[in-house]
Amino acid sequence: MNMRAAPATLMPALHPVSLRVNTYLINLDRAPLRRFRMERLLASFGLAFERVAAVDGAGLSLPHPGFDEASYLRQHGRRPNPFEIGCYLSHVECAKRFLGSHAEFALILEDDLDFDDDLAELLEAALEHQARWDILRLSTVNTGRKHKVEPLTASRSLAIALTREKGSGAYLINRKAAGWIADVLVPMRLPYDLAFDLEFDDGLSACFVDPLPVSQRADPCSQIQAGLSTYRLGRRRPWSVLPYRAAAELRRFAARFSRLAAWRLSGLRTAPPE
C-alpha cells in the first residue's frame, strides 16, 4: 500500500506535517506482517508515506558497485554482511527518492518501530527549529547521554550526543543531508548507522530528540544481527581499524562539544536578566 497513491476515499485524515515531510518506510517484500503493522501505525498518526522495497541482502552478490569492500575491511574490520549492505542501499534509495521530489524534508523509517503518541506533533515542532539540524535522530539503540540544548515541546528537547550512536530506525533529514547520503556516503564503507553518525566530517549538523519518541523494540529479530559472529575476523582484523575508530571518536567529540558549547553560550547571551 502506497498511501500517497491511494484514492482519497481510502486515506485517513492527514496530519498537516505530511504537506512538508515525505515519509519513507523501508520494508522487505518478504516481511508483509511488518509492513501491515507499520501501515496501521502511520495511518493512526495521519502520516502519508511511501513504502520503499528494501534491498534484500539474500539476493546480493559481490563485488557490488555500491559497496567498497577494501575500505569496509580497513575501517570496520569485518567480512561483508549482505544484509547490512542491503540495509545501507535501502537508506540511500530513500534519500534519492526524496531528492527527486519537491518536499522540504524526509522522515525515513525502518519497519520494526514503536512510536510515542506525540510523534506527529513533535515533527511539527522540529520543523520550527529546522535551522538547528540537517539530521534529526528520533531513535537509537545506544543509551549514551544526550545533552539537551533547546526545548521542542513541553516534554521533549533538541539534544546533542558526544559519543557514537548506533541504529538508524527513524530520522528526519533536509535536502542537504539527503544529498550527502546519496553522494558522499556512496559507495558503502561502513555500516549505515556508523556512516551517518559521521555527519560532522562534512559540515552537517545532527541532533537528537530527547527523550526519544521512537524505539526499535517492536521486533527483536534482526536479519542484520543474526549470525553476526560469522562476519567478525577476531585477531585477524586489520591493524587499521583501531586507529580509525579512535580518530573518529576524537573528531566526533571535538566537533560536537564545540557545537554544544557554542549553543549553550549563545543561550546564556540571549537569556533575559533576572
Side-chain angles (χ1 to χ4, degrees):
M1 178 179 178
N2 183 337
M3 291 184 64
R4 294 189 182 279
T9 55
L10 298 180
M11 294 279 285
L14 287 182
H15 194 281
V17 77
S18 288
L19 300 177
R20 301 180 65 190
V21 178
N22 278 6
T23 299
Y24 299 97
L25 173 63
I26 299 171
N27 169 252
L28 282 166
D29 288 341
R30 54 188 172 84
L33 294 180
R34 286 188 176 198
R35 173 168 62 88
F36 295 150
R37 178 181 176 278
M38 291 297 294
E39 285 177 351
R40 289 194 298 270
L41 281 174
L42 291 169
S44 71
F45 289 104
L47 295 178
F49 68 92
E50 178 179 345
R51 177 183 173 267
V52 176
V55 177
D56 195 338
L60 283 177
S61 59
L62 298 178
H64 190 284
F67 178 65
D68 183 342
E69 186 170 354
S71 293
Y72 181 86
L73 179 62
R74 185 171 60 253
Q75 297 176 13
H76 194 52
R78 294 185 182 179
R79 297 185 183 91
N81 181 339
F83 297 105
E84 198 171 62
I85 297 170
C87 174
Y88 195 107
L89 297 176
S90 301
H91 282 271
V92 171
E93 174 62 20
C94 290
K96 289 180 176 178
R97 292 196 190 190
F98 170 42
L99 290 172
S101 75
H102 298 290
E104 297 176 76
F105 305 94
L107 172 63
I108 299 178
L109 304 172
E110 296 178 359
D111 63 359
D112 56 347
L113 308 174
D114 275 342
F115 304 122
D116 286 351
D117 293 339
D118 61 340
L119 176 66
E121 289 70 25
L122 172 63
L123 295 177
E124 270 197 316
L127 299 188
E128 295 177 4
H129 296 258
Q130 60 182 276
R132 295 293 198 178
W133 53 266
D134 299 303
I135 301 171
L136 183 61
R137 299 181 64 169
L138 309 176
S139 69
T140 183
V141 296
N142 287 60
T143 57
R145 181 180 176 187
K146 314 299 184 291
H147 300 265
K148 295 180 181 180
V149 288
E150 189 167 301
L152 281 175
T153 66
S155 59
R156 302 192 196 269
S157 300
L158 288 178
I160 292 177
L162 300 180
T163 54
R164 183 177 67 174
E165 294 287 337
K166 299 174 67 176
S168 53
Y171 56 96
L172 268 174
I173 53 173
N174 59 20
R175 298 186 73 85
K176 179 181 177 183
W180 173 70
I181 292 168
D183 184 14
V184 177
L185 294 193
V186 178
M188 173 182 171
R189 295 172 289 272
L190 287 168
Y192 184 74
D193 56 349
L194 300 185
F196 101 130
D197 199 38
L198 297 173
E199 81 296 328
F200 49 85
D201 277 340
D202 292 288
L204 278 77
S205 298
C207 287
F208 271 89
V209 172
D210 186 59
L212 293 166
V214 181
S215 62
Q216 287 185 268
R217 59 175 178 258
D219 187 347
C221 300
S222 169
Q223 295 181 48
I224 294 176
Q225 298 298 320
L228 190 61
S229 60
T230 63
Y231 303 105
R232 292 175 177 155
L233 293 174
R235 293 183 179 180
R236 292 178 292 164
R237 186 176 67 182
W239 66 267
S240 56
V241 174
L242 185 57
Y244 174 82
R245 289 183 179 178
E249 292 298 322
L250 289 172
R251 296 196 312 275
R252 176 184 293 106
F253 183 87
R256 293 185 182 169
F257 182 82
S258 296
R259 186 163 161 247
L260 174 62
W263 202 332
R264 289 190 168 170
L265 181 60
S266 175
L268 291 174
R269 287 174 177 169
T270 58
E274 296 183 358

